[in-house]
Amino acid sequence: QRILKTQKSNRQEEKKALRDFKAFFSLAAKQSKIELDQLAAQGVFNKALVSPEDIIKKLEKYFDAGPIATAFGTAIAGQYASSGENTSQFLNNGFQPNEDELKFLKDYNLELVTKQSQAELDRIKKQLQLGILNNQSVIEMKQAIERIRKTAINHAETLVRTEFNRANNMGSMEAMRQSGVENLKKYLIITRDNRTSKICLKEHKKYGTEKQAIPMEKEFKVFVDGRSYTGRGPPFHPSCRTVVAYTFD
C-alpha cells in the first residue's frame, strides 16, 4: 500500500494575494480620509451642507472590486492547477484541470471578493453617516475608518488562506481521481497546535490516520457542538489548514 500527502499551498502566492487586498482596502481608506480633510478645509463639514452619499459617490471608483476579484480568481485557479500537477507528477501521470471545478472556484471567489468589498464600503458609508449626524470631528471619523481598514485586512487574510487551501485540496483530489490507481482512499492530515479548531481535532480523531481512510466518493463528516460539518475535503471552516492524504495500491 502506498501513501501520498497533499503538499501545502504556495505561500508566496498567498502572500502576494494578501498584499493586493491590503493595497485595495488601504487605498479606499486613504481616499476616504483625504475627502474628509478636503471637506473640513473647505469649511463645509456639517450635516446641513454635506451628505455621506455625496462622499461615497466620489469614492466608489476606489471600491471597484472587479480587478482584484479577477486577479484573485486567477491566483486560485493557478493553485488548483499547480496542486493537481504536483500530485500527478508523483504518480508519473498527466493532469487535466476539471473545467467545472475551475469555473466553480472562479465564480465562487468572484462573489466572495465582491461581497467583501461591498461590505467594507457599507461600513465606511455607515461611519460617515453616523459621524456627520453626531457631529464627530474629522479626527474621530478618520480613526474609525482606520479601524475598518484593519478589520477588512483581517477578513481578507482569512479569505486568502481558506480559499488557497480549498483550491489546493481540490486540485490534488482531482489528480488522484484521474490517476486510475486502485483501491484509492483518502484521510486527513491535521496541523495540531494551539490554533487547531475543535472541528479539525474531531476530524483528526475520526480520519487522521491511513487506517481510518475512506473511499474517495465518501464525505468527511463530524459533529461539533451540535452542528454537522461535512465535505469531500478541506477546508472545513475559515482558515482551515487541513490537507487530504491518500492510500492506494
Side-chain angles (χ1 to χ4, degrees):
Q1 190 178 59
R2 302 170 68 189
I3 294 174
L4 175 60
K5 299 177 182 179
T6 301
Q7 297 180 18
K8 292 289 186 179
S9 59
N10 189 320
R11 288 292 294 157
Q12 293 302 315
E13 288 298 318
E14 282 190 33
K15 289 179 180 179
K16 181 180 181 301
L18 184 56
R19 286 197 300 270
D20 289 344
F21 276 108
K22 285 182 178 179
F24 174 70
F25 290 122
S26 294
L27 178 61
K30 178 181 178 181
Q31 294 301 323
S32 299
K33 295 173 187 177
I34 289 174
E35 186 64 26
L36 289 173
D37 283 337
Q38 289 176 345
L39 289 170
Q42 295 167 13
V44 296
F45 194 75
N46 63 68
K47 57 188 175 184
L49 298 174
V50 65
S51 71
E53 288 73 19
D54 293 334
I55 301 176
I56 288 295
K57 285 181 180 179
K58 295 180 180 180
L59 299 174
E60 279 181 344
K61 63 181 178 181
Y62 299 108
F63 287 86
D64 179 8
I68 193 171
T70 300
F72 188 60
T74 299
I76 290 296
Q79 178 61 59
Y80 171 85
S82 176
S83 179
E85 289 164 2
N86 289 338
T87 302
S88 293
Q89 286 176 3
F90 180 86
L91 299 168
N92 295 317
N93 289 332
F95 175 67
Q96 182 63 43
N98 183 312
E99 293 301 324
D100 288 338
E101 290 191 337
L102 278 177
K103 185 177 186 305
F104 163 77
L105 286 169
K106 289 181 178 179
D107 291 348
Y108 179 68
N109 282 285
L110 175 63
E111 183 178 1
L112 281 180
V113 173
T114 301
K115 283 184 176 179
Q116 181 162 332
S117 64
Q118 184 59 49
E120 306 314 327
L121 175 61
D122 290 343
R123 289 189 184 99
I124 289 179
K125 183 176 180 179
K126 184 176 180 179
Q127 175 55 48
L128 292 170
Q129 290 172 331
L130 290 174
I132 291 172
L133 291 173
N134 295 329
N135 293 317
Q136 287 184 347
S137 69
V138 171
I139 292 177
E140 290 174 320
M141 295 179 69
K142 288 168 67 175
Q143 289 173 341
I145 289 172
E146 179 60 18
R147 290 193 293 271
I148 292 171
R149 184 190 72 85
K150 291 180 178 179
T151 299
I153 290 173
N154 288 337
H155 290 166
E157 185 172 6
T158 297
L159 183 150
V160 168
R161 288 178 176 174
T162 305
E163 295 313 312
F164 264 83
N165 192 32
R166 186 189 312 281
N168 191 49
N169 282 293
M170 285 178 65
S172 173
M173 287 191 288
E174 178 60 22
M176 292 304 295
R177 281 193 292 269
Q178 293 179 15
S179 69
V181 297
E182 296 182 352
N183 297 322
L184 176 60
K185 293 183 177 181
K186 61 185 178 182
Y187 63 104
L188 298 171
I189 303 295
I190 284 84
T191 301
R192 288 180 291 164
D193 54 27
N194 60 1
R195 294 190 292 129
T196 306
S197 68
K198 290 194 292 183
I199 299 166
C200 283
L201 287 174
K202 196 71 172 285
E203 298 278 6
H204 173 74
K205 185 176 181 180
K206 189 173 181 180
Y207 304 110
T209 69
E210 58 268 28
K211 291 182 180 180
Q212 295 169 302
I214 61 175
M216 286 291 288
E217 66 273 12
K218 297 288 187 180
E219 291 189 325
F220 298 106
K221 184 175 184 179
V222 296
F223 288 90
V224 178
D225 295 334
R227 181 178 174 184
S228 174
Y229 295 86
T230 304
R232 294 190 303 117
F236 299 112
H237 58 82
S239 294
C240 182
R241 296 172 289 166
T242 297
V243 296
V244 182
Y246 312 94
T247 67
F248 54 97
D249 294 337

